[in-house]
Amino acid sequence: MMSQKNKNAKIFLEFGKNISNCGSTEVQIALITSRIKSLRMHFKFNNKDHSSKRGLLCMVSKRKKLLNYLKKKSLTKYINITNKLSIRR
C-alpha cells in the first residue's frame, strides 16, 4: 500500500510534468479524483458517515468547477484529462 505522499508525487509527475508543479488545474483535478476514489471505498463499509459524505460532495463540486474552467481554457486538455481519469463529461 502506497503512502499518500508517494501517490501525490506520482500524480504530480504524471499530470504536472514535474514534481514541483502542484498547482496546475490538471494536477488539482487528478488529486481530487484520487481522494474521491478513496472515499468511495470508505463508504462501502461506512455508509452512515454523513460528515464524510458532505466532504465528498464538496470535493465533487470543486472538481466540477475546475473541469468547467479547464474546458473554457483548453478543450484538448479537458478531453485528455477526462479520458485519462475516466471522468464522465
Side-chain angles (χ1 to χ4, degrees):
M1 189 165 180
M2 292 178 68
S3 70
Q4 189 65 34
K5 192 173 186 179
N6 290 339
K7 287 180 187 178
N8 288 351
K10 184 178 174 185
I11 290 172
F12 293 156
L13 287 174
E14 185 177 349
F15 293 97
K17 307 303 182 226
N18 62 22
I19 196 74
S20 64
N21 187 6
C22 58
S24 70
T25 309
E26 295 92 345
V27 172
Q28 290 181 34
I29 292 169
L31 285 172
I32 292 172
T33 303
S34 161
R35 290 178 62 198
I36 288 171
K37 286 182 182 177
S38 69
L39 274 177
R40 281 195 306 192
M41 291 301 297
H42 170 76
F43 288 128
K44 285 186 179 178
F45 303 108
N46 304 299
N47 59 350
K48 293 185 179 181
D49 189 359
H50 298 294
S51 60
S52 293
K53 283 184 184 179
R54 184 183 181 281
L56 174 69
L57 291 175
C58 289
M59 281 188 264
V60 170
S61 174
K62 184 171 180 142
R63 182 178 72 175
K64 184 178 178 182
K65 289 175 189 175
L66 287 169
L67 283 168
N68 285 337
Y69 170 77
L70 189 62
K71 188 177 183 180
K72 289 178 195 172
K73 201 77 166 158
S74 173
L75 188 61
T76 57
K77 287 182 182 179
Y78 170 79
I79 292 170
N80 287 338
I81 199 160
T82 53
N83 288 339
K84 273 187 181 179
L85 296 174
S86 303
I87 298 174
R88 192 176 47 174
R89 287 185 228 164

